[in-house]
Each structure stands twice: as C-alpha cells, then as structure tokens.
Amino acid sequence: MKKTIISLLLLLVFALTAAAQGKRHFDPAKFKAEMEQYITVEACLTPSEAAALFPIYDEMKKEMRTLFNKVRKLKQIKPADEKGCKDAVAQMDQLELEMKQLQMNYHARFLTVISASKLFDVITAEEKFHRQAVRKAAHNKK
C-alpha cells in the first residue's frame, strides 16, 4: 500500500513538474512582431519608414518562401540516376539564382522608401535577429 501511495505521489510530482515547464510553441505573429521591432530599432527607422517598408518586406519574404520551399522539395528525394541528380542540381541552382534576383529587385523597391544606409542596417539587423533567435531556440532546448 505504501509503495502504491509513494509511486502515485512521485508520478504526481513528475506530472506537475512537466506541466510547469510547459511546451513552448512557436508563434509566427509574435516572431514577426519581435523581428519588426528589432529591425526598426536597430536600423533607426521612423514610424513612417517602418510603415512603408514592412508591407514590401513581407511581400518579398512570401515570394522568397515559395522559392525556398521548391528548393527544399527538390532536396527531399534523391533521384535514382545521374541524369536525375544533374537535373535536380541545375533546378536548385536556378531557383537560388531566382531568389537572389528577387532580393535585388526588392532591394531596389526598398530604396524608394528608405535610404541606402538604412537598408544596409535593415539587412544587417535581420541577419542579427535570426542568429539571436537560433541561439535562443537552441538554449531553450537544453
């Protein structure tokens, strides 16, 4: 009887501990808001500049994600023969070139709403934010 009660108490303690830790779910809206806030501060964007920049930025990210998903899909299944592999590599290369061209086109659009120095700061801030987010996620897994 004592063993059963002790076992139940231990199980309850473990269950409460697990519930207290809770699983952290990724919230895309929160991530986007934090990133925009970080970029705005790091690049010293005015509210009007941020309001003009981020709709274009979101449009670029949506198109980039489409191309990135195509590349990822190509990488999921290795073709069975050399010709298939060669074609897959060529398609991946072409998609990556399209992504870079898309970036260049959007950078030109960004320059119509912010200065080149602020665009440079936006690009740098975005990279820095993503590096910090990866470090934070890795740290939270420990």
Side-chain angles (χ1 to χ4, degrees), residues 103-131:
Q103 268 185 327
M104 289 173 56
N105 293 340
Y106 273 96
H107 289 170
R109 286 183 60 191
F110 294 152
L111 289 171
T112 65
V113 294
I114 60 173
S115 68
S117 63
K118 286 195 178 186
L119 176 57
F120 185 89
D121 292 341
V122 165
I123 293 167
T124 304
E126 178 193 15
E127 291 171 359
K128 190 175 175 183
F129 177 83
H130 285 292
R131 280 193 307 272

Side-chain angles (χ1 to χ4, degrees), residues 37-55:
Q37 180 65 31
Y38 184 86
I39 290 171
T40 300
V41 170
E42 286 290 309
C44 301
L45 298 177
T46 65
S48 62
E49 288 173 329
L53 175 74
F54 286 114

Side-chain angles (χ1 to χ4, degrees), residues 67-79 84-100:
L67 293 172
F68 179 78
N69 287 339
K70 288 179 182 179
V71 171
R72 190 178 73 210
K73 204 172 195 178
L74 282 170
K75 290 180 180 180
Q76 286 178 345
I77 300 173
K78 182 179 178 181
C85 288
K86 184 177 179 181
D87 291 344
V89 169
Q91 287 176 345
M92 287 186 280
D93 289 344
Q94 183 59 42
L95 288 167
E96 288 178 13
L97 287 171
E98 287 177 34
M99 282 192 275
K100 189 47 78 176

